Amino acid sequence: MKVTEHIERANGKPLFSVEILPPLKGQDVNCTFKTLDPLAELNPAFIDVTYHRQEFIYKQKDNGLLKRYQVRKRPGTVAICAAIQNHYKIDAIPHLICGGFTKEDTEDALIDLNFLGIDNVLVLRGDPIKTEKNFIPEKGGNAFASDLIEQVVNLNHGKYLDDDIQETYPMDFCIGISGYPEKHFESPNLAMDMYYLKKKVDLGAEYIVTQMFFDNHKYFDFVNKCREMGINIPIIPGIKPLTTFNQLTKIPQNFYIDLPEDLAIEVLKAKDKEQIKEIGLEWCINQCKELLEFGVPGLHFYTMSNSANTKKVAEAIF
């Protein structure tokens, strides 16, 4: 079922959804099931599965030559989505990115997803890998998320890269995109970020999932700006509880967002790890309750494949 259909059928009742990481190379699907089993009890409407590009590092050997080593990564997004839908009968949504794929690769992946009965894709440009100063698109690939949206829309209309294909069967993917209440870190300002968001919606995006945030006013302002610009598709807030001291610096560093002063001060005052977790969970629960009062279409939790904290929050609010 499409995300938009889930929202319509909920009749105003907010959805619960989660995002997980595929298992690391060398692990099996049971690692994913172990993460999801506790959350499946809460009947999530859908489960996002991230995609991780292949990366390499170079190390100097004793003879002075450089040797290329593959960084351990998380493959199998398409297969994990298929396994989730088969095992739990819950809609799984793969992340579809530009980096590392030609347009032909993307078309083949979408064909596979269509055969598997997957109805949704979350379209992203993707971040630069560690060896790139700036994002570098694959030769013959899509350079921007907007290009990728156009390719999905074309397939939804039965338009393939090979114009000679006759009697094509149209696909029917529901297209999700990301939104940044505190702007994407590469955008020069929020206004420019909003301009490109509107462009993606005009091209055919049907719902937005936001980057995580800890100050609800950032989300409220973002929604208001979207509506003023004529962006009227559902905007699902992305949520993650802060549960460790290191996250005070790691979350702003990795996700380019601010943490509220009140939250940071409470964490700094905490006596031990357990108290920090309690503070973070309480903040997240209160944050979610306020969002629900605002009338959000759902709450989307970034689990980082740690289900325990997400389950505690979800049980307190749903």
Side-chain angles (χ1 to χ4, degrees):
M1 188 188 301
K2 295 180 179 182
V3 169
T4 49
E5 292 174 334
H6 277 292
I7 293 171
E8 288 170 6
R9 295 188 183 189
N11 291 320
K13 182 179 178 181
L15 303 178
F16 165 63
S17 61
V18 299
E19 178 178 299
I20 64 165
L21 309 174
L24 284 166
K25 182 178 285 189
Q27 298 176 339
D28 66 7
V29 72
N30 290 313
C31 297
T32 297
F33 293 160
K34 185 177 180 181
T35 297
L36 286 175
D37 280 347
L39 299 175
E41 299 171 2
L42 302 174
N43 298 314
F46 56 89
I47 299 168
D48 274 26
V49 182
T50 65
Y51 182 84
H52 294 258
R53 290 173 62 188
Q54 184 169 335
E55 296 192 42
F56 297 93
I57 59 173
Y58 293 84
K59 293 183 179 180
Q60 192 169 29
K61 299 171 67 177
D62 293 339
N63 60 8
L65 298 175
L66 292 176
K67 183 176 180 180
R68 189 172 79 159
Y69 296 87
Q70 184 177 348
V71 177
R72 192 179 184 203
K73 65 166 192 170
R74 298 177 182 270
T77 294
V78 171
I80 290 296
C81 284
I84 288 170
Q85 291 204 166
N86 181 64
H87 187 77
Y88 296 105
K89 312 305 179 189
I90 296 172
D91 284 301
I93 304 178
H95 287 195
L96 198 66
I97 67 171
C98 297
F101 293 93
T102 65
K103 291 182 180 180
E104 287 76 12
D105 293 333
T106 297
E107 183 173 273
D108 289 346
L110 287 163
I111 290 170
D112 288 343
L113 292 168
N114 187 53
F115 287 159
L116 290 167
I118 290 172
D119 297 323
N120 307 274
V121 289
L122 188 72
V123 172
L124 310 161
R125 188 204 66 182
D127 294 328
I129 57 176
K130 292 182 176 64
T131 53
E132 296 175 349
K133 184 176 181 180
N134 299 302
F135 174 80
I136 301 174
E138 189 77 9
K139 185 177 181 181
N142 293 301
F144 303 100
S146 55
D147 299 330
L148 189 48
I149 291 170
E150 285 188 278
Q151 185 171 7
V152 180
V153 169
N154 283 338
L155 286 171
N156 280 349
H157 292 141
K159 184 178 179 181
Y160 289 69
L161 294 173
D162 185 351
D163 292 331
D164 294 331
I165 299 176
Q166 301 295 318
E167 297 181 5
T168 59
Y169 184 83
M171 300 182 189
D172 192 23
F173 289 109
C174 178
I175 302 170
I177 56 174
S178 59
Y180 297 84
E182 299 177 58
K183 90 171 185 62
H184 190 279
F185 71 97
E186 292 180 8
S187 290
N189 52 62
L190 184 58
M192 187 66 70
D193 205 32
M194 298 295 295
Y195 168 82
Y196 286 112
L197 182 68
K198 179 68 161 58
K199 179 181 179 180
K200 288 184 278 189
V201 172
D202 290 343
L203 286 169
E206 297 175 74
Y207 71 95
I208 297 168
V209 178
T210 77
Q211 172 64 285
M212 69 180 73
F213 56 90
F214 291 81
D215 181 349
N216 283 348
H217 291 289
K218 301 282 181 69
Y219 172 80
F220 300 151
D221 291 343
F222 176 71
V223 171
N224 289 334
K225 286 184 174 70
C226 285
R227 303 310 184 217
E228 289 170 0
M229 295 181 68
I231 299 174
N232 295 312
I233 61 176
I235 303 174
I236 304 171
I239 302 296
K240 174 179 169 53
L242 183 151
T243 54
T244 69
F245 182 81
N246 288 340
Q247 288 175 338
L248 275 183
T249 54
K250 290 296 183 183
I251 287 177
Q253 177 183 337
N254 294 335
F255 300 101
Y256 305 96
I257 61 174
D258 291 333
L259 293 177
E261 183 177 339
D262 291 349
L263 174 60
I265 289 174
E266 287 300 310
V267 170
L268 289 171
K269 289 180 179 178
K271 298 177 181 178
D272 53 39
K273 294 179 180 178
E274 282 304 310
Q275 190 174 10
I276 291 174
K277 182 183 290 188
E278 290 175 7
I279 290 168
L281 290 174
E282 183 180 3
W283 182 279
C284 189
I285 290 168
N286 290 332
Q287 182 183 1
C288 290
K289 288 179 178 179
E290 186 178 35
L291 288 167
L292 294 176
E293 289 177 2
F294 181 75
V296 296
L299 296 171
H300 187 71
F301 289 86
Y302 296 108
T303 69
M304 305 303 182
S305 292
N306 181 339
S307 57
N309 294 327
T310 297
K311 186 175 183 181
K312 286 180 181 178
V313 175
E315 286 178 332
I317 60 176
F318 285 106

